[in-house]
């Protein structure tokens, strides 16, 4: 296949990726966007395979690897529960980063294969590109592994800090820039390996001080890193598809991270620089006092909601764990038959990743026009009869507005405490992912419904 024809097909796949991102910006067009992305990737992979030319042993290896990788991906896609989607995304980001590292290593060791020069005499521009691609890829890899471990619960979700941590990050960042400069002058393989090793360490140090409440931002940030790593390697290989795709993923991930930081009242630079604002003082959770709570049952909840004129549903990670979205839809249908107005309130970071709750509700065929983001519905809680909180914790915690020492202080929350009655479905009084007690549990207008979210919702349906 000629270089011009190859570039045309890569350009087509790039356009399809742009259409995919546009489609994924709305739940109503997300399926179509996903389809565009699949077609774009199929074209990119197919053209790359064809461009190899003769049916050599290398091509056979490539096809075998594609078959194995595709089979593993398909198996995971069918088996993975929605509750595990955040850590799956983190895992995928780590693979993208590692792939960028491997490609950079291949280009450095065998530059003649990629037409970049010869060992010890590689083009300076190519050296800079592969060094940056390898460095960002390595940071993405280890950072994503730490994010995976935190989301999976194999590692504490609390920030891990130590004295001088931020200055160490700064020192390593400056060291990477100096090593890349020296590599361009000497082209020493030792410097190249040192860049990769230091980048692996930086990835760990950047993510460990970021707490559980900020993990959704971390997911989108790592998504951005993986895109820039791919774009860097794309320049090295002079691959149009990689450059376009990497730039799209990198820029969209960065924009999403910025939007989420604004939505959580977090400093964008604090987060991307490894939780610069996290200190040992502001990450200690306050000791939980033994306070009285009012608890109820399904009959109590059904009575309150049936006699309400308006109900706002606030879904959270607990709904995802219990897979209660379908039962929730049934309950809402039953309330509507009784003339109750029902809407859904979604916090930007509800669940463990951006859009987590939207996907679950769409899975239960909840109409899109009934689902509202925080800024669209927050004022409605003051006029709401009942707020039904199903598994959401940190995003409803009033201490975000009242306690300057809280790790979630300043984060905009859903003002459910302003509702006449709050029904809070939770298994226990245990803290949320940020590791702090929720003051909403102890409010006079809150009725705790201690049970599995799905079981409680099904019992309410029966009572209705």
């Amino acid at each position: 296949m000629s270089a011009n024809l190859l570039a045309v097909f890569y350009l087509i796949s790039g356009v399809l990726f742009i259409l995919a991102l546009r489609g994924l910006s709305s739940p109503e067009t997300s399926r179509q966007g996903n389809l565009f992305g699949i077609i774009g990737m199929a074209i990119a992979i197919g053209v790359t395979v064809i461009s190899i030319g003769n049916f050599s042993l290398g091509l056979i290896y490539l096809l075998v690897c594609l078959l194995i990788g595709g089979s593993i991906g398909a198996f995971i896609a069918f088996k993975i529960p929605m509750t595990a989607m955040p850590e799956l995304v983190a895992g995928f980001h780590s693979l993208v980063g590692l792939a960028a590292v491997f490609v950079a290593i291949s280009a450095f060791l065998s530059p003649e294969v990629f037409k970049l020069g010869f060992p010890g005499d590689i083009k300076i521009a190519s050296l800079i590109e592969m060094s940056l691609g390898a460095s960002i890829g390595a940071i993405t890899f280890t950072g994503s592994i730490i994010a995976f471990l935190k989301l999976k619960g194999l590692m504490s979700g609390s920030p891990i800090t130590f004295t001088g941590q931020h200055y160490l990050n700064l020192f390593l960042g400056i060291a990477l820039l100096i090593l890349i400069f020296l590599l361009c002058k000497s082209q020493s393989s030792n410097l190249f390996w040192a860049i990769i090793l230091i980048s692996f360490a930086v990835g760990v140090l950047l993510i460990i001080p970021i707490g559980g409440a900020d993990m959704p931002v971390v997911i989108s940030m790592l998504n951005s890193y993986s895109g820039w790593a791919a774009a860097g390697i794309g320049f090295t290989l002079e691959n149009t598809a990689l450059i376009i795709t990497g730039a799209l993923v990198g820029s969209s991930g960065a924009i999403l991270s910025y939007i989420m930081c604004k939505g959580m009242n977090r400093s964008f630079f604090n987060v991307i620089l490894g939780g610069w604002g996290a200190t040992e003082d502001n990450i200690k959770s306050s000791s939980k006092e033994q306070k009285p709570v009012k608890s109820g049952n399904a009959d109590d909840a059904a009575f309150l909601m049936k006699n309400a004129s308006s109900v706002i549903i606030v879904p959270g990670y607990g709904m995802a764990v219990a897979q209660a979205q379908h039962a929730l839809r049934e309950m809402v249908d039953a309330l509507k038959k009784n003339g109750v107005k029902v809407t859904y309130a979604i916090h930007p970071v509800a669940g463990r990743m951006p859009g987590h709750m939207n996907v679950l509700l769409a899975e239960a065929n909840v109409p899109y026009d009934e689902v509202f983001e925080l800024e669209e519905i927050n004022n409605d809680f003051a006029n709401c009869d009942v707020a039904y909180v199903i598994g959401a914790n940190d995003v409803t915690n009033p201490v975000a507005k009242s306690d300057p020492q809280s790790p979630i202080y300043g984060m905009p929350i859903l003002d459910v405490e302003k509702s006449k009655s709050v029904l809070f479905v939770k298994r226990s009084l245990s803290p949320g992912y940020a590791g702090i007690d929720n003051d909403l549990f102890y409010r006079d207008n809150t009725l705790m419904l201690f049970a599995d979210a799905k079981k409680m919702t099904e019992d309410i349906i029966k009572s209705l």
Side-chain angles (χ1 to χ4, degrees), residues 343-362:
T343 50
Y344 299 81
I346 306 292
H347 192 280
V349 294
R352 297 281 173 84
M353 64 181 292
H356 201 174
M357 295 301 105
N358 300 77
V359 173
L360 287 174
L361 295 178

Side-chain angles (χ1 to χ4, degrees), residues 194-208:
I195 289 170
I196 293 177
L197 290 176
I198 291 175
S199 299
F200 279 141
V202 170
V204 174
L205 292 170
L206 282 178
I207 305 303
I208 58 172

